[in-house]
Amino acid sequence: HLVNHGVPEELMDRVRVAGEGFFNQPVEEKEKYANDHDTGNSGKIQGYGSKLANNASGQLEWEDYFFHTVYPEDKKDMKIWPKNPTDYIPATSEYANHLRGLTTKVLSALSVCLGLEEDRLEKEVGGKDELVIQMKINYYPKCPQPELALGVEAHTDVSALTFILHNMVPGLQLFYEGKWVTAKCVPNSIIMHIGDTVEILSNGKYKSILHRGLVNKEKVRISWAAFCEPPKEKIILKPLPETVSETEPARYPPRTFSQHIEHKLFRKTQALNGA
């Protein structure tokens, strides 16, 4: 849980109100921003989507979501940003700019802890010009039988860092020391995960956390997950030389970010097919 993170409380509230306002609109209004996720890489993955499907463990995944790039300016597709509520665009844009500054602070601290120059990790994930922030707002409706459903199945994030804002309804669980632990709801905090990208660069010294989202019987749960990601093709991700030694050889092969994503999807498909 990050506290004293410098993001104004009033801005976090505006982001929550605007996001919730979007999902509270009639379906036909939300459908104007529908994505086209099923068509794979050629499809339009940004926008509004709904997921109601059985996952690998036979449980139902139960969520609506809105996914889009929020940073940098030239990567934002404003055509798919919701026009209503009217504060959605200004609040989300301002919040994304704050998160970009927070990313620098956190990556600096993580670099120093590895014995590296302060700006090293940020350079390795794209630096000032190439780092991208994608936001996924997850909306989990009230679920009459929560034991039969999951909001999001267990996974690690491919990002360098993930920042999560939520509406103070518990449901995020982390796999820690062999069991699932429910994250506390700390007022005005932002939850942060290490993602696969930083795990690879640190040669496993930092761990990408396995986590999942639960649904709630009594309350709607909403989370705003912001993924800080390197460019898909421009950088080869591999353990930094300073993290590798004879006793600690490189644990991850060199891959671009998009190759890493493909590798994860391939492994998941194999697992689903019982390979």
Side-chain angles (χ1 to χ4, degrees):
H1 293 90
L2 299 179
V3 293
N4 302 324
H5 41 63
V7 183
E9 193 182 325
E10 170 257 346
L11 176 60
M12 289 158 69
D13 286 339
R14 282 173 57 204
V15 169
R16 289 187 187 102
V17 168
E20 190 169 351
F22 172 78
F23 285 102
N24 286 341
Q25 294 179 110
V27 171
E28 54 273 21
E29 197 59 38
K30 292 182 283 193
E31 287 288 347
K32 289 178 185 173
Y33 302 97
N35 64 17
D36 191 12
H37 203 277
D38 293 341
T39 53
N41 291 336
S42 59
K44 187 182 78 165
I45 63 167
Q46 294 196 65
Y48 169 73
S50 201
K51 201 168 173 186
L52 194 60
N54 284 323
N55 65 25
S57 60
Q59 284 175 301
L60 200 60
E61 285 197 83
W62 173 286
E63 66 158 342
D64 279 8
Y65 63 90
F66 195 93
F67 179 78
H68 58 147
T69 303
V70 294
Y71 189 96
E73 208 63 41
D74 62 344
K75 299 265 192 327
K76 286 155 59 168
D77 180 1
M78 298 313 291
K79 291 193 299 297
I80 60 106
W81 284 53
K83 308 291 183 292
N84 284 309
T86 51
D87 195 34
Y88 185 94
I89 291 174
T92 306
S93 296
E94 192 180 335
Y95 179 62
N97 289 336
H98 274 280
L99 287 185
R100 185 62 189 84
L102 193 54
T103 302
T104 297
K105 285 183 194 167
V106 172
L107 288 175
S108 298
L110 294 176
S111 291
V112 170
C113 289
L114 285 174
L116 304 170
E117 293 287 317
E118 231 180 276
D119 60 351
R120 181 67 182 283
L121 279 178
E122 185 167 58
K123 278 181 183 165
E124 296 290 345
V125 295
K128 298 282 184 228
D129 299 325
E130 300 286 350
L131 187 77
V132 173
I133 302 178
Q134 317 260 23
M135 183 179 281
K136 184 176 179 227
I137 310 175
N138 300 295
Y139 180 94
Y140 308 109
K142 283 184 264 192
C143 181
Q145 291 180 283
E147 66 283 355
L148 300 179
L150 272 175
V152 175
E153 66 177 321
H155 65 286
T156 60
D157 292 339
V158 292
S159 58
L161 302 173
T162 301
F163 295 109
I164 299 173
L165 194 62
H166 54 77
N167 66 337
M168 294 297 287
V169 176
L172 172 66
Q173 289 197 320
L174 317 168
F175 196 67
Y176 182 67
E177 294 187 343
K179 59 180 189 290
W180 287 105
V181 179
T182 301
K184 293 182 176 129
C185 290
V186 177
N188 305 322
S189 71
I190 295 173
I191 293 173
M192 190 201 82
H193 293 166
I194 300 278
D196 296 351
T197 297
V198 164
E199 177 170 321
I200 291 165
L201 292 170
S202 70
N203 201 26
K205 289 177 173 60
Y206 294 125
K207 302 282 184 235
S208 182
I209 189 79
L210 187 67
H211 58 284
R212 67 184 185 184
L214 300 189
V215 290
N216 194 290
K217 192 174 183 173
E218 313 292 335
K219 295 177 178 172
V220 167
R221 182 170 168 262
I222 313 176
S223 68
W224 289 254
F227 306 101
C228 306
E229 298 179 350
K232 283 203 156 50
E233 306 292 350
K234 285 190 179 178
I235 292 171
I236 302 294
L237 294 176
K238 61 182 180 184
L240 299 175
E242 296 90 338
T243 66
V244 177
S245 65
E246 274 185 38
T247 53
E248 293 179 304
R251 295 167 55 177
Y252 311 91
R255 290 190 180 107
T256 63
F257 186 57
S258 64
Q259 284 170 337
H260 173 68
I261 294 169
E262 281 166 29
H263 170 70
K264 272 189 101 158
L265 288 173
F266 175 68
R267 276 204 340 231
K268 186 177 175 183
T269 308
Q270 275 191 318
L272 286 173
N273 294 337

PDB file of all heavy atoms in Angstrom, residues 101-120:
ATOM      1  N   GLY A 101       4.514  10.336 -12.625  1.00  0.00           N
ATOM      2  CA  GLY A 101       5.519  10.827 -11.680  1.00  0.00           C
ATOM      3  C   GLY A 101       5.792   9.808 -10.582  1.00  0.00           C
ATOM      4  O   GLY A 101       6.937   9.609 -10.153  1.00  0.00           O
ATOM      5  N   LEU A 102       4.737   9.151 -10.130  1.00  0.00           N
ATOM      6  CA  LEU A 102       4.867   8.128  -9.085  1.00  0.00           C
ATOM      7  C   LEU A 102       5.697   6.945  -9.589  1.00  0.00           C
ATOM      8  O   LEU A 102       6.495   6.368  -8.838  1.00  0.00           O
ATOM      9  CB  LEU A 102       3.467   7.669  -8.669  1.00  0.00           C
ATOM     10  CG  LEU A 102       3.317   6.836  -7.402  1.00  0.00           C
ATOM     11  CD1 LEU A 102       3.941   7.521  -6.197  1.00  0.00           C
ATOM     12  CD2 LEU A 102       1.836   6.548  -7.138  1.00  0.00           C
ATOM     13  N   THR A 103       5.527   6.604 -10.863  1.00  0.00           N
ATOM     14  CA  THR A 103       6.308   5.513 -11.463  1.00  0.00           C
ATOM     15  C   THR A 103       7.806   5.799 -11.352  1.00  0.00           C
ATOM     16  O   THR A 103       8.595   4.932 -10.974  1.00  0.00           O
ATOM     17  CB  THR A 103       5.923   5.337 -12.950  1.00  0.00           C
ATOM     18  OG1 THR A 103       4.534   5.067 -13.038  1.00  0.00           O
ATOM     19  CG2 THR A 103       6.688   4.190 -13.591  1.00  0.00           C
ATOM     20  N   THR A 104       8.201   7.036 -11.662  1.00  0.00           N
ATOM     21  CA  THR A 104       9.610   7.421 -11.567  1.00  0.00           C
ATOM     22  C   THR A 104      10.112   7.241 -10.141  1.00  0.00           C
ATOM     23  O   THR A 104      11.189   6.680  -9.914  1.00  0.00           O
ATOM     24  CB  THR A 104       9.808   8.883 -12.018  1.00  0.00           C
ATOM     25  OG1 THR A 104       9.451   8.982 -13.396  1.00  0.00           O
ATOM     26  CG2 THR A 104      11.247   9.343 -11.840  1.00  0.00           C
ATOM     27  N   LYS A 105       9.328   7.706  -9.158  1.00  0.00           N
ATOM     28  CA  LYS A 105       9.749   7.603  -7.748  1.00  0.00           C
ATOM     29  C   LYS A 105       9.940   6.149  -7.335  1.00  0.00           C
ATOM     30  O   LYS A 105      10.937   5.790  -6.703  1.00  0.00           O
ATOM     31  CB  LYS A 105       8.688   8.243  -6.837  1.00  0.00           C
ATOM     32  CG  LYS A 105       8.665   9.746  -6.833  1.00  0.00           C
ATOM     33  CD  LYS A 105       7.616  10.246  -5.843  1.00  0.00           C
ATOM     34  CE  LYS A 105       7.323  11.721  -6.070  1.00  0.00           C
ATOM     35  NZ  LYS A 105       6.118  12.161  -5.352  1.00  0.00           N
ATOM     36  N   VAL A 106       8.973   5.305  -7.699  1.00  0.00           N
ATOM     37  CA  VAL A 106       9.030   3.904  -7.262  1.00  0.00           C
ATOM     38  C   VAL A 106      10.179   3.171  -7.963  1.00  0.00           C
ATOM     39  O   VAL A 106      10.945   2.441  -7.319  1.00  0.00           O
ATOM     40  CB  VAL A 106       7.682   3.190  -7.524  1.00  0.00           C
ATOM     41  CG1 VAL A 106       7.801   1.700  -7.255  1.00  0.00           C
ATOM     42  CG2 VAL A 106       6.586   3.784  -6.641  1.00  0.00           C
ATOM     43  N   LEU A 107      10.315   3.374  -9.271  1.00  0.00           N
ATOM     44  CA  LEU A 107      11.402   2.703  -9.988  1.00  0.00           C
ATOM     45  C   LEU A 107      12.772   3.161  -9.488  1.00  0.00           C
ATOM     46  O   LEU A 107      13.725   2.375  -9.444  1.00  0.00           O
ATOM     47  CB  LEU A 107      11.274   2.940 -11.494  1.00  0.00           C
ATOM     48  CG  LEU A 107      10.120   2.206 -12.192  1.00  0.00           C
ATOM     49  CD1 LEU A 107      10.022   2.628 -13.656  1.00  0.00           C
ATOM     50  CD2 LEU A 107      10.261   0.682 -12.092  1.00  0.00           C
ATOM     51  N   SER A 108      12.870   4.446  -9.083  1.00  0.00           N
ATOM     52  CA  SER A 108      14.126   4.943  -8.511  1.00  0.00           C
ATOM     53  C   SER A 108      14.463   4.186  -7.236  1.00  0.00           C
ATOM     54  O   SER A 108      15.594   3.736  -7.046  1.00  0.00           O
ATOM     55  CB  SER A 108      14.028   6.443  -8.187  1.00  0.00           C
ATOM     56  OG  SER A 108      13.794   7.182  -9.356  1.00  0.00           O
ATOM     57  N   ALA A 109      13.475   4.046  -6.364  1.00  0.00           N
ATOM     58  CA  ALA A 109      13.701   3.330  -5.099  1.00  0.00           C
ATOM     59  C   ALA A 109      14.094   1.874  -5.353  1.00  0.00           C
ATOM     60  O   ALA A 109      15.012   1.340  -4.720  1.00  0.00           O
ATOM     61  CB  ALA A 109      12.446   3.395  -4.230  1.00  0.00           C
ATOM     62  N   LEU A 110      13.401   1.234  -6.303  1.00  0.00           N
ATOM     63  CA  LEU A 110      13.701  -0.168  -6.617  1.00  0.00           C
ATOM     64  C   LEU A 110      15.110  -0.307  -7.213  1.00  0.00           C
ATOM     65  O   LEU A 110      15.815  -1.288  -6.944  1.00  0.00           O
ATOM     66  CB  LEU A 110      12.664  -0.730  -7.588  1.00  0.00           C
ATOM     67  CG  LEU A 110      11.227  -0.855  -7.053  1.00  0.00           C
ATOM     68  CD1 LEU A 110      10.289  -1.341  -8.158  1.00  0.00           C
ATOM     69  CD2 LEU A 110      11.148  -1.795  -5.866  1.00  0.00           C
ATOM     70  N   SER A 111      15.529   0.681  -8.018  1.00  0.00           N
ATOM     71  CA  SER A 111      16.878   0.670  -8.597  1.00  0.00           C
ATOM     72  C   SER A 111      17.939   0.757  -7.503  1.00  0.00           C
ATOM     73  O   SER A 111      18.907  -0.013  -7.481  1.00  0.00           O
ATOM     74  CB  SER A 111      17.063   1.850  -9.563  1.00  0.00           C
ATOM     75  OG  SER A 111      16.296   1.687 -10.715  1.00  0.00           O
ATOM     76  N   VAL A 112      17.741   1.712  -6.602  1.00  0.00           N
ATOM     77  CA  VAL A 112      18.709   1.913  -5.515  1.00  0.00           C
ATOM     78  C   VAL A 112      18.839   0.654  -4.663  1.00  0.00           C
ATOM     79  O   VAL A 112      19.940   0.251  -4.277  1.00  0.00           O
ATOM     80  CB  VAL A 112      18.303   3.136  -4.653  1.00  0.00           C
ATOM     81  CG1 VAL A 112      19.145   3.228  -3.389  1.00  0.00           C
ATOM     82  CG2 VAL A 112      18.441   4.420  -5.468  1.00  0.00           C
ATOM     83  N   CYS A 113      17.705  -0.007  -4.409  1.00  0.00           N
ATOM     84  CA  CYS A 113      17.732  -1.233  -3.601  1.00  0.00           C
ATOM     85  C   CYS A 113      18.490  -2.375  -4.301  1.00  0.00           C
ATOM     86  O   CYS A 113      18.948  -3.306  -3.648  1.00  0.00           O
ATOM     87  CB  CYS A 113      16.316  -1.692  -3.259  1.00  0.00           C
ATOM     88  SG  CYS A 113      15.524  -0.622  -2.070  1.00  0.00           S
ATOM     89  N   LEU A 114      18.605  -2.305  -5.619  1.00  0.00           N
ATOM     90  CA  LEU A 114      19.385  -3.309  -6.357  1.00  0.00           C
ATOM     91  C   LEU A 114      20.855  -2.892  -6.483  1.00  0.00           C
ATOM     92  O   LEU A 114      21.651  -3.592  -7.101  1.00  0.00           O
ATOM     93  CB  LEU A 114      18.811  -3.506  -7.766  1.00  0.00           C
ATOM     94  CG  LEU A 114      17.504  -4.294  -7.893  1.00  0.00           C
ATOM     95  CD1 LEU A 114      17.009  -4.247  -9.339  1.00  0.00           C
ATOM     96  CD2 LEU A 114      17.670  -5.746  -7.442  1.00  0.00           C
ATOM     97  N   GLY A 115      21.196  -1.708  -5.921  1.00  0.00           N
ATOM     98  CA  GLY A 115      22.565  -1.209  -6.036  1.00  0.00           C
ATOM     99  C   GLY A 115      22.847  -0.563  -7.372  1.00  0.00           C
ATOM    100  O   GLY A 115      24.003  -0.441  -7.793  1.00  0.00           O
ATOM    101  N   LEU A 116      21.790  -0.127  -8.076  1.00  0.00           N
ATOM    102  CA  LEU A 116      21.947   0.478  -9.404  1.00  0.00           C
ATOM    103  C   LEU A 116      21.793   1.990  -9.322  1.00  0.00           C
ATOM    104  O   LEU A 116      21.331   2.536  -8.320  1.00  0.00           O
ATOM    105  CB  LEU A 116      20.878  -0.076 -10.357  1.00  0.00           C
ATOM    106  CG  LEU A 116      20.816  -1.595 -10.522  1.00  0.00           C
ATOM    107  CD1 LEU A 116      19.562  -1.986 -11.297  1.00  0.00           C
ATOM    108  CD2 LEU A 116      22.056  -2.113 -11.237  1.00  0.00           C
ATOM    109  N   GLU A 117      22.153   2.661 -10.406  1.00  0.00           N
ATOM    110  CA  GLU A 117      21.877   4.098 -10.513  1.00  0.00           C
ATOM    111  C   GLU A 117      20.374   4.328 -10.401  1.00  0.00           C
ATOM    112  O   GLU A 117      19.584   3.506 -10.866  1.00  0.00           O
ATOM    113  CB  GLU A 117      22.357   4.627 -11.880  1.00  0.00           C
ATOM    114  CG  GLU A 117      23.852   4.612 -12.070  1.00  0.00           C
ATOM    115  CD  GLU A 117      24.554   5.685 -11.259  1.00  0.00           C
ATOM    116  OE1 GLU A 117      24.044   6.812 -11.231  1.00  0.00           O
ATOM    117  OE2 GLU A 117      25.590   5.382 -10.637  1.00  0.00           O
ATOM    118  N   GLU A 118      20.015   5.483  -9.844  1.00  0.00           N
ATOM    119  CA  GLU A 118      18.603   5.765  -9.558  1.00  0.00           C
ATOM    120  C   GLU A 118      17.684   5.639 -10.769  1.00  0.00           C
ATOM    121  O   GLU A 118      16.565   5.156 -10.671  1.00  0.00           O
ATOM    122  CB  GLU A 118      18.488   7.187  -8.999  1.00  0.00           C
ATOM    123  CG  GLU A 118      17.701   7.251  -7.708  1.00  0.00           C
ATOM    124  CD  GLU A 118      17.620   8.673  -7.182  1.00  0.00           C
ATOM    125  OE1 GLU A 118      18.546   9.124  -6.494  1.00  0.00           O
ATOM    126  OE2 GLU A 118      16.610   9.318  -7.481  1.00  0.00           O
ATOM    127  N   ASP A 119      18.168   6.079 -11.931  1.00  0.00           N
ATOM    128  CA  ASP A 119      17.279   6.116 -13.100  1.00  0.00           C
ATOM    129  C   ASP A 119      17.386   4.855 -13.964  1.00  0.00           C
ATOM    130  O   ASP A 119      16.804   4.785 -15.037  1.00  0.00           O
ATOM    131  CB  ASP A 119      17.571   7.350 -13.950  1.00  0.00           C
ATOM    132  CG  ASP A 119      19.012   7.377 -14.473  1.00  0.00           C
ATOM    133  OD1 ASP A 119      19.829   6.524 -14.021  1.00  0.00           O
ATOM    134  OD2 ASP A 119      19.329   8.236 -15.307  1.00  0.00           O
ATOM    135  N   ARG A 120      18.111   3.858 -13.493  1.00  0.00           N
ATOM    136  CA  ARG A 120      18.421   2.703 -14.350  1.00  0.00           C
ATOM    137  C   ARG A 120      17.175   1.914 -14.757  1.00  0.00           C
ATOM    138  O   ARG A 120      16.963   1.630 -15.931  1.00  0.00           O
ATOM    139  CB  ARG A 120      19.413   1.796 -13.614  1.00  0.00           C
ATOM    140  CG  ARG A 120      19.843   0.573 -14.404  1.00  0.00           C
ATOM    141  CD  ARG A 120      20.673   0.941 -15.643  1.00  0.00           C
ATOM    142  NE  ARG A 120      21.030  -0.248 -16.393  1.00  0.00           N
ATOM    143  CZ  ARG A 120      21.985  -1.101 -16.050  1.00  0.00           C
ATOM    144  NH1 ARG A 120      22.718  -0.877 -14.959  1.00  0.00           N
ATOM    145  NH2 ARG A 120      22.233  -2.158 -16.778  1.00  0.00           N
TER     146      ARG A 120
END
